[in-house]
């Protein structure tokens, strides 16, 4: 896993348009779907009108680009535009309603054709990579990397991370961002790779140097203003809303020993 050079880090998100709705992926209540875009690629679309809505898209975007900065394999993230015409022709009423409420800018992830769901009993993950994934999930407060739902894929014999919409769960009510940043992450006890994560201290030192304020600002700047305007929040301005994510991440990184120690203690209980 090659880390991106800080000096070379300049995140950019391409924009594409949906030209064909291929098939729904009936997973939970979010109803993502596979679509074809005008660049001839297939994407898994996370719709702004589904489930927790735009906040899920924001979490997916921030977490995905942090993961990419840290060197993980992540499907390319794109902004994907859905025209109002698609909601008129879909025969399934549930999907039709979803498409109508999702007109405009949504989030797409490149579809990894023939990828296999990661199985911890079949695929071995070395301690360093396991520690990196555990550290990352502690940082973003990702509750969705359990044995029941690993949200990892094996594709071309490599491990890919997917589905980070459940991260930053505090932003659904927005308690104090700095207080949230200082909290441990007790849910890490259920992480599918925790037992193998024996190099958390080493990873902590490496990853903290990558996540500079400049890099965090660059990632958070990717969030479309429209999403921040539409997402319910206690903030008076879009910029204040955006900087709340920055403040959370800065605080969390500065206090990373808190969640690292939580993970180490949870690991001791199972190994």
């Amino acid at each position: 896993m090659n880390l991106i050079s800080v000096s070379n880090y300049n995140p950019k998100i391409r924009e594409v348009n949906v030209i064909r709705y291929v098939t729904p992926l009936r997973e939970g209540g979010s109803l993502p779907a596979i679509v074809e875009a005008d660049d001839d690629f297939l994407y898994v679309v996370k719709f702004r009108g589904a489930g927790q809505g735009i906040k899920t898209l924001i979490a997916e975007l921030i977490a995905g680009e942090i993961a990419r900065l840290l060197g993980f394999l992540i499907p390319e993230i794109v902004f994907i535009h859905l025209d109002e015409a698609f909601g008129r022709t879909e025969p399934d009423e549930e999907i039709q309603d979803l498409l109508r409420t999702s007109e405009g800018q949504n989030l797409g992830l490149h579809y990894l054709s023939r990828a296999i769901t990661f199985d911890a009993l079949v695929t071995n993950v070395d301690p360093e990579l396991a520690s990196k994934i555990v550290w990352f999930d502690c940082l973003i407060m990702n509750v969705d990397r359990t044995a029941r739902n690993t949200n990892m894929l094996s594709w071309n014999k490599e491990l890919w991370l997917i589905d980070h919409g459940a991260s930053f769960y505090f932003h659904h009510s927005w308690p104090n961002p700095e207080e949230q940043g200082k909290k441990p992450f007790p849910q890490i006890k259920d992480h599918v790779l925790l037992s193998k994560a024996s190099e958390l201290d080493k990873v902590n030192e490496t990853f903290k140097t990558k996540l500079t304020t400049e890099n965090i600002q660059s990632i958070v700047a990717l969030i479309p203003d429209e999403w921040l305007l539409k997402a319910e929040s206690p903030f008076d301005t879009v910029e204040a809303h955006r900087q709340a994510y920055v403040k959370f991440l800065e605080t969390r990184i500065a206090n990373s020993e808190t969640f690292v120690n939580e993970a180490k203690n949870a690991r001791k209980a199972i190994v």
Side-chain angles (χ1 to χ4, degrees), residues 50-63:
Q52 300 290 347
I54 287 174
K55 290 183 179 181
T56 298
L57 275 58
I58 292 173
E60 192 83 59
L61 175 60
I62 298 175

Side-chain angles (χ1 to χ4, degrees), residues 214-267:
E214 181 181 3
N215 286 341
I216 293 169
Q217 291 276 10
S218 296
I219 290 171
V220 174
L222 296 170
I223 307 170
D225 287 357
E226 181 196 7
W227 288 4
L228 294 170
L229 284 169
K230 295 290 185 179
E232 293 182 9
S233 80
F235 307 107
D236 295 330
T237 66
V238 165
E239 187 57 26
H241 192 173
R242 195 185 306 278
Q243 290 305 312
Y245 287 104
V246 174
K247 179 56 66 177
F248 165 79
L249 288 166
E250 286 181 330
T251 305
R252 195 141 186 81
I253 293 160
N255 294 273
S256 60
E257 286 77 9
T258 299
F259 65 72
V260 166
N261 288 335
E262 176 83 24
K264 289 165 63 177
N265 289 336
R267 182 176 179 272

Side-chain angles (χ1 to χ4, degrees), residues 20-24 26 31 33-35 47 82 84-100:
R20 183 167 66 97
Y21 184 96
V22 178
T23 186
R26 296 185 178 277
L31 284 180
I34 299 174
V35 305
F47 293 107
L82 182 66
E84 62 180 11
F86 284 90
R88 299 172 185 166
T89 58
E90 171 57 47
D92 186 303
E93 290 187 4
E94 184 180 13
I95 295 175
Q96 184 182 98
D97 290 342
L98 175 63
L99 296 177
R100 285 180 172 173

